[in-house]
Amino acid sequence: MERPQKSHRSRQSGPSAKKKSDTDKKKRDLTEEKKQNPKAFAFNSTVKAKRLQSRASEKEQRRLHIPTIDRTTGEPAPYVIVVHGPPQVGKSLLIKSLVKHYTKHNIPDVRGPLTIVSGKQRRLQFVECPNDINGMIDAAKFADLALLLIDGSYGFEMETFEFLNILQVHGFPKVMGVLTHLDKFKDVKKLKKTKQRLKHRFWTEIYDGAKLFYLSGLIHGKYVKREIHNLARFISVMKFHPLSWRTTHPYILVDRLEDVTAPDKVSTNKKCDRNVTLYGYLRGCNMKRGTKVHIAGVGDYNVAGVTGLADPCPLPSAAKKKGLRDKEKLFYAPMSGVGDLLYDKDAVYININDHFVQFSKVGDEDDNARKGAERDVGEVLVKSLQNTQYSVDEKLNKSFINFFSQTSNNPGKVMNGDEQDDEDHVKHKNSIEPMEEPDTVGSDEDSDGEDVDDLEEAKNPHENSTTKTFGDSPELKDNQQERARNNIEEEVEFHKGRMRRKAVFGNESKLDDQELQATDDDEEVEDDNSDEESSSYSDSSGEEEEDDLEENVGNASKWKESLVERTISRQNMNLMQLVYGQSESKPNASLREDSDAEESDDEEFFKPKGEENKKLRQGLEGDQVNTEDSSKFTNYASVRDWKDGETVESIRDRFVTGDWSKAARRGKATEVDSENDDDGPVFGEFEDLETGEKHEGDQTGEANEEPDSAAEERRLKKLALRAKFDAQYNGSESPDEADDNSHKGKDNNGQANEGGFLDKLREEAELQRQRNIAELTDLDEATRVDIEGYRTGTYLRLEIHDVPYELIEHFDPCHPILVGGIGFTEENVGYMQARFKRHRWHKKVLKTKDPIIVSIGWRRYQTLPIYAIEDLNGRHRMLKYTPEHMHCLAMFWGPLAPPNTGVVAVQNLSNTQASFRITATAVILEFNHAAKIVKKIKLVGEPCKIYKKTALIKKMFTSDLEVARFEGASIRTVSGIRGQVKKAGKIELGNKPKKNGGQPEDGIARCTFEDKILMSDIVFLRAWTQVDVPCFYNPLTTALQARGETWRGVRTVGELRREYNLRVPDNKDSHYKPIERPLKKFNPVIVPKSLQSALPFRSKPKDTKSKKDGRAVVAEPHERDVHKLLQHLQLIRHNKMKQQKLKKQEKKKKHDTEKAKEEVVNKKRQREERRERYRTQDKLQKKMRRD
Amino acid sequence: CEGLRQKEYLQFRPPLLCSNIEIGGRRRREEEMGKISYMKLKGSQNLRQRLLLSTLSSTPILIEDIRADATWPGLLPHEVSFLRLLETVSDDCHVEINETGTKLKYKPGIVMGGKHLEHDCGLSRSIGYFLEPLIVLGLFGKKSLSIRLKGITNDSKDPSVDTFRSTTLPLLKRFGVPSEGLELKIESRGVAPKGGGEVILSVPIVHNSLKAVTWTDEGMVKRIRGISFSTRVSVQFENTMIHAARGIFNRLLPDVHIFTDHKAGAQAGKYVFLKPISPGYGISLVAETTSGCFLSVDTTISYARGNDEMDIDEKKELMPPEDVGEQIASLLLGEIEQGGVVDSTHQGLLFILCALCPQDVSKVRVGKLVPYGIETLRNIRDFLGVKFVIKPEPATGTVELKCIGCGLKNLSRKLS
């Protein structure tokens, strides 16, 4: 058949060709596999199979992790996304683009952390990583996700790798690479190749398949919208796994910093220590009140005050809808000047740009920005307000109108001038607000406030005076009341300066509700209350009823007063307060209070034990502190007569012989029917203590519920809820389990046993988590904070006192401040041992005792490490330098860090260094209070007297005492004769000082050897001596200096030498010289004659005379002639031969030169020939190809 | 009596002052630089607990006014002995006591543990006094601890060694302490006044941290066990005690076994002039419940310490064994009546263990809070910053306590 068309030519390049080749390859792969010899890959060795299987399972095991209990509750803090990269790579632009994408806002510049709400469940905080190594180290510690920006047109830069190494040491958060500047490539192929190359390099550094994102270029000075959208999507689905250091330490990335030092203090001395407040989301784990913190680059500080503030950037409410409304796309970045409203503990700041505010007085120093409240319409009004010298309530006071009945009681209202200055910003309050307060509430809460005793107020006058604007507002009193109950409350504090509070906070409004109800509703409530009280607390009920009677008779206000009073008195009675006392700050104070409380209850609760206790009761105040320390509490006095039938019956049910059902009920009694339970006289004495607590618990619960419906209904509902919860609780595990199982099924099949164990662990962890959540839900906010500390995700305000002024002066929002909590023992200093390895990219080995800067935990400090290696026998031997490609041990002094903490070491902090700055990485093994590192030492001595096998050795030791220390030590001569130190030698024997008339020499040791040694022998003793690790560490205070400046600490010896132009000391003895060994001349052996005669003949020296000195030979004249002739002939022959040889050499030389010449010519010709041949060949080929 | 006190005083004081007053170069420097901030406390109360918690939380403490106004001011011999014990088991801990002994500075070191340690507990308190803090301390050491303690094994003031074996060690296991290596071996017994008992305590270390517990079900008593002992007196004493105790239990529970442990010869304490000088007898009872709780009581009858050796015969009569048996049985029933998962003696230990757990909720139920337990709660708050939610349950007369542990980890352990 003939085909008219020309045959199809497949495409050689372009996408379709590529596609084709791919499929082709696939096909070929398949076929290739089929082509393989099937027998070659068949199962033929059980051993090998077993090995393979075990290897596979081992690999599987490595992937498994022990499940950790997730202890975070509530909303997670915003995830921190650190954008890192070398300068000029587009970091800020990326943040701007992302922010624009999320919030539709353009931000002018990126300074400090930017918080945004990115989704219904997720908030993000963008931080730009500063370019110096200190900033990078800090950023690595708080990053949840690191975006590594890489200039595609340039390739990787050292910063990226440095940052990766730092990240790896500090827990390795998620990492995503972003390639920018890809529009610089004109050639598509080159671009693709570069992408490929960079991707693979990135993969080797992190893991195969690590995400590398490409941003193709700029459009109108912004990244392409679509790509940013994709990037945002990647970020939004990212999962963050917990990192062990961070889940055990609370930390805060400061997104706002205020200097709250008294202005007069600053004006008198500009360099005075400052008080600062730091704001940020709490991350990591819960933070308790007493926690010490480390501010990175500054130092350790005690927190003077912690308060939880309202979230400035809250997640949207959980209404069911898709996506975010525009209103909910919140955005908070105080350091960048975004976010108009700033909340503080006691004030709200409204941020208005300076150019909007024209009417404020020029003289107003520091609160220009904060002051403006109205537009220029009210300018005059504002000015007049500014001129007023007294606040509204002060005026009210002066006018003798008792607006609030109890105002004069409050001493806190009196203010002093300085504080007024300090708190000026609170003044911008709207004066209408107090009027808005409903009267009922006002009066009600007034009575509330009244109950707060004056003492309490006197205790914190400062607290009162800070809120001077409306010092007597109900809120304040409310607050104080709260305070009296030991709870400084976030909501309350937020509200102290603001008036509208009910709208926002559940807790507070609940309280209000409760109180409102209490006032609005009548006896019914009261009856209910008292009913319950009487039912649960039999002995307090009588008093209650009396109260009730009184209340019913008396007028309304009095009635309310006593009600509130009683609530408070009851609350004071609760068991927790009995144990922990009222004020928690000072242990001493609390002890005294407690002892009071105890005494009052002694009669019922604590029975006298013995004489000690009696004495104790007499002089309780003084002697309480010296009671006997015994855990045994035998109450002989209360021993009852158990022979009595009735008493025995009373505990019958506590034994297995008793009624099981009753006993079972006993356990549940409190939960199910606490109201109905009437406990017998057995627990009579117990009651007194408990009443208070129980009251509180019940009352808060009931007061809310009672008014609208019956108690019975409520209880049933509660039970139903509980059941539902229980079901959910059990159910919640099973889906998780199922999920895990399926995961596991994918991961490791055939590892059922191990998986089961892991499942059990997972289940336990989940159970514990549920328990944690369940147990703490029923607590009120204040106790909860007391018990578990501030939860993660809370927006915290930390007040820190006496910070160096440099922190404020050199504060740069582009360098985020990290505040980390310090655990137990971490503030102590000591020796630490680390497994240490020099980074393979660092050029030099490290020298012992040369300073390095390490970053451990939250800290960065300079220290002097000593390197060592562990010998086989467990000895730690000092190394002068770190080994080339091995781990070694490093011992250094510094603040302790728990074992397993990663360490990164740097030697040079400067930004100008071209090479890799990470010096080494390490992991802490243990800490110790004594560093046991030894180095080898050789004590050298020489014999001064030799007996048979004993010798006296001098110059090895300096004193007899030293000899005594080394008794029994093994020694050796250079020639290898081993010996032992015995005792200090007797001096007379050694060098006979008495004869010489000198001082007796000290430190001569008598030693024995395995053979006789020579006087010329050198004896040495090998020993180990302790090396001291220098007790030095120098915290890096980089936040206290200008950020551009390089921090300088201790310099290395090399640096010092360079700086002072000193030469390296040169010890001549240390030089290596060629060894000269002069031939030793031994004297001839002289055998004494007596010995000679005794020897057998064979060994006797023979009298062998040499034949040389035989007789002279006198030749005959003829003989002499012959001899002469022979000599002549020989001489002639010699000469002849010599001449012939010379001639031959000359000839050869000539021949060689000729040959060389010929060779050159030959080569030339050959090359020509070859060239010609190739040329023709090439031509031929080309021709053929063309054809 | 006072004469002897004086003697004891002299016996114990001088070596103490010699070894402890000196300050090492480094420490002095630190102190001058004001690096160490001491937590200031007052009075001699709860010294053991304070030292224990201070060591665990590595907070240096400064205690002032230790019996400043007492006739015999300052630390007592057993307290000094306890400080010595701390020095034995830990590394670089630093104790400084002023001349009168009324002021104590303590800077904790690292708990090392180790094998073949030995400590003489002296005769002013029994071994139980030292065991209580030591077992907790041992858990957080670098190596597992094995120590021989010498002194008085049974005493009426402190829990006896039998109670430790039967009740305290199972309590620890609840918190995830490995059971292998946790034991108390009684080599010989000795009672007051002259002691001579020896026990070997071995405590394993926890590898990471303890485990939080939820332990609120006290269950029902299913069996009562006990051990009685006698040293230098007739076996008949024990039998009488046991008989009396059983008499009371018999109406409630058939499963009662009380073992006897009659010690003689070298195993029963010291001889002086070939005469046994510390005769005594005692009994320790433990009730085990269906949920695995152990409630225990114990007592020991012996001559009071502080009397001269010579006038043994003139001493007042000891309590007769029948009365002892009845009394101790009644006490046990009293403990059972109170409810709670531990007896009143172990409240303090329970609270400490709860507070040392990881940051999870621990929930326990105890009977009435005893003063020692309350003091423990306060100390825990001061040192570890852990507060308990204390909720009484009037229906059962018990108290339910909840806390979130401080998350203490065994930091001194070496990473392998």
Side-chain angles (χ1 to χ4, degrees), chain A residues 256-525:
Chain A
R256 185 173 152 217
L257 177 141
E258 305 279 343
D259 182 7
V260 292
T261 329
D264 60 333
K265 217 172 138 195
V266 180
S267 62
T268 49
N269 179 14
K270 265 202 135 182
K271 297 191 172 180
C272 68
D273 281 352
R274 305 297 174 90
N275 299 347
V276 293
T277 50
L278 307 169
Y279 301 79
Y281 288 96
L282 179 64
R283 296 186 170 89
C285 67
N286 292 349
M287 182 158 152
K288 286 192 175 161
R289 253 181 238 282
T291 320
K292 257 188 144 187
V293 293
H294 177 82
I295 306 175
V298 184
D300 288 2
Y301 287 95
N302 279 317
V303 179
V306 196
T307 31
L309 300 183
D311 202 329
C313 196
L315 281 176
S317 57
K320 268 204 176 167
K321 59 180 182 318
K322 234 181 171 185
L324 284 176
R325 301 283 166 276
D326 273 350
K327 218 177 170 187
E328 289 159 357
K329 288 181 179 166
L330 289 170
F331 178 28
Y332 179 71
M335 282 182 187
S336 305
V338 192
D340 313 328
L341 275 180
L342 294 182
Y343 300 108
D344 200 349
K345 192 167 84 170
D346 43 13
V348 183
Y349 301 101
I350 301 172
N351 233 345
I352 291 177
N353 276 346
D354 283 353
H355 59 269
F356 287 138
V357 187
Q358 298 135 355
F359 45 79
S360 280
K361 271 189 284 184
V362 193
D364 271 355
E365 297 99 10
D366 56 335
D367 40 6
N368 261 348
R370 297 164 183 163
K371 199 166 258 182
E374 273 130 320
R375 284 264 155 209
D376 45 357
V377 188
E379 184 175 342
V380 188
L381 185 67
V382 172
K383 274 197 170 165
S384 72
L385 270 177
Q386 283 171 349
N387 288 333
T388 51
Q389 292 181 357
Y390 303 102
S391 60
V392 175
D393 53 14
E394 273 173 298
K395 275 182 184 168
L396 280 174
N397 266 349
K398 276 196 174 169
S399 63
F400 298 106
I401 300 167
N402 253 354
F403 200 155
F404 303 123
S405 56
Q406 299 298 328
T407 38
S408 51
N409 278 356
N410 193 351
K413 210 169 30 111
V414 186
M415 294 174 299
N416 31 1
D418 342 0
E419 268 159 322
Q420 196 161 7
D421 283 3
D422 191 10
E423 304 289 335
D424 249 336
H425 50 262
V426 196
K427 269 193 177 173
H428 63 267
K429 281 284 129 50
N430 192 339
S431 64
I432 314 163
E433 280 188 346
M435 312 305 185
E436 283 180 354
E437 282 295 317
D439 274 356
T440 47
V441 176
S443 64
D444 186 41
E445 293 194 331
D446 241 6
S447 57
D448 235 340
E450 176 189 285
D451 292 313
V452 182
D453 45 347
D454 287 346
L455 194 138
E456 195 60 40
E457 288 183 340
K459 247 189 195 172
N460 14 333
H462 179 79
E463 229 58 75
N464 290 335
S465 54
T466 52
T467 61
K468 40 60 199 208
T469 334
F470 303 109
D472 283 348
S473 63
E475 277 75 22
L476 168 63
K477 300 215 157 157
D478 202 72
N479 189 9
Q480 279 168 350
Q481 193 198 341
E482 291 272 302
R483 218 164 264 257
R485 280 185 264 137
N486 284 345
N487 39 15
I488 303 161
E489 213 14 73
E490 49 179 270
E491 282 84 1
V492 176
E493 258 131 13
F494 157 48
H495 279 298
K496 208 187 204 175
R498 238 168 74 113
M499 277 309 161
R500 288 173 221 275
R501 60 181 168 138
K502 278 181 288 178
V504 198
F505 290 100
N507 188 25
E508 192 108 1
S509 61
K510 199 170 76 187
L511 209 132
D512 274 350
D513 277 353
Q514 184 190 333
E515 250 137 20
L516 273 173
Q517 280 161 358
T519 50
D520 292 342
D521 293 304
D522 38 10
E523 292 101 331
E524 193 189 316
V525 187

Side-chain angles (χ1 to χ4, degrees), chain A residues 69 71 247-248 285-286 288 486 536-537 575-576 578-580 583-584 587-588 590-591 594 598 605-606 624-636 639-640 642-645 648 651-657 659-660 663 666-667 669-670 677 679 682-683 685-687 690 693-694 768 771-772 775-776 778-779 786-788 824-825 828-829 831 833 835 870 876 893 898-900 923-930 1031 1033, chain B residues 26 29-30 40 42-48 50 57-58 65-68 91-92 109-110 125 129 132 142 155-159 212 214 218-222 224 248 251-254 290 298-299 326-327 330-331 333-334 336-337 339 344-345 358-361 363 365 368-372 374-375 377-378 381-397 399 402 404-406 408-409 411 413-415:
Chain A
I69 301 173
R71 295 193 173 96
T247 46
T248 49
C285 67
N286 292 349
K288 286 192 175 161
N486 284 345
S536 52
Y537 302 100
L575 198 51
M576 258 182 95
L578 268 178
V579 171
Y580 288 124
S583 71
E584 55 165 18
N588 286 345
S590 70
L591 279 183
D594 295 334
E598 261 170 50
F605 196 68
F606 303 113
Q624 167 73 19
V625 286
N626 284 330
T627 47
E628 184 155 37
D629 188 6
S630 170
S631 64
K632 213 159 154 183
F633 179 68
T634 335
N635 203 342
Y636 287 107
V639 170
R640 298 202 286 160
W642 291 99
K643 283 175 188 165
D644 185 24
V648 166
I651 61 162
R652 167 72 67 190
D653 295 334
R654 295 280 291 115
F655 288 82
V656 282
T657 51
D659 186 356
W660 281 65
R666 185 183 132 93
T670 42
D677 204 280
D679 35 6
V682 184
F683 308 111
E685 40 183 56
F686 206 85
E687 223 84 287
E690 285 158 16
E693 209 283 331
K694 192 61 188 177
Q768 186 64 50
R771 211 174 280 150
N772 291 351
E775 291 297 345
L776 292 172
D778 54 340
L779 294 178
D786 252 3
I787 300 297
E788 65 164 0
F824 292 119
T825 73
N828 296 352
V829 283
Y831 297 103
Q833 197 185 71
R835 194 190 293 133
E870 190 170 335
H876 291 159
W893 168 261
N900 221 353
V923 64
I924 299 286
L925 291 181
E926 64 171 333
F927 52 71
N928 233 328
H929 278 302
C1031 291
Y1033 87 95
Chain B
R26 193 183 88 215
R29 210 170 61 227
E30 271 175 24
K40 290 204 174 66
K42 263 193 177 147
S44 70
Q45 56 164 2
N46 296 323
L47 186 78
R48 281 184 301 164
R50 284 173 170 176
S57 65
S58 55
D65 290 347
I66 302 173
R67 300 196 187 85
D91 197 3
D92 199 41
I110 292 172
R125 287 296 279 269
Y129 176 87
E132 282 181 327
K142 209 182 258 299
D155 185 359
S156 53
K157 254 188 209 167
D158 294 302
T214 304
E218 65 252 42
M220 287 187 285
V221 179
K222 62 175 179 188
I224 291 176
I248 286 183
R251 306 179 60 179
L252 288 162
L253 197 70
T290 47
D298 63 61
T299 190
E326 272 177 26
Q327 193 194 43
S330 312
L331 279 178
L333 292 183
I336 293 169
E337 180 198 347
S344 53
T345 313
Q359 282 158 341
D360 292 321
V361 174
K363 192 163 141 191
R365 184 202 300 277
K368 287 176 195 168
L369 282 178
V370 292
Y372 184 75
I374 293 173
E375 284 301 322
L377 290 176
R378 288 175 192 158
R381 192 245 345 245
D382 293 345
F383 282 96
L384 303 175
V386 170
K387 264 181 127 180
F388 283 72
V389 181
I390 307 164
K391 202 170 120 199
E393 283 184 7
T396 52
V399 184
K402 277 189 280 192
I404 289 189
C406 68
L408 186 75
K409 283 186 175 160
L411 296 175
R413 193 173 70 93
K414 190 179 176 180
L415 181 73

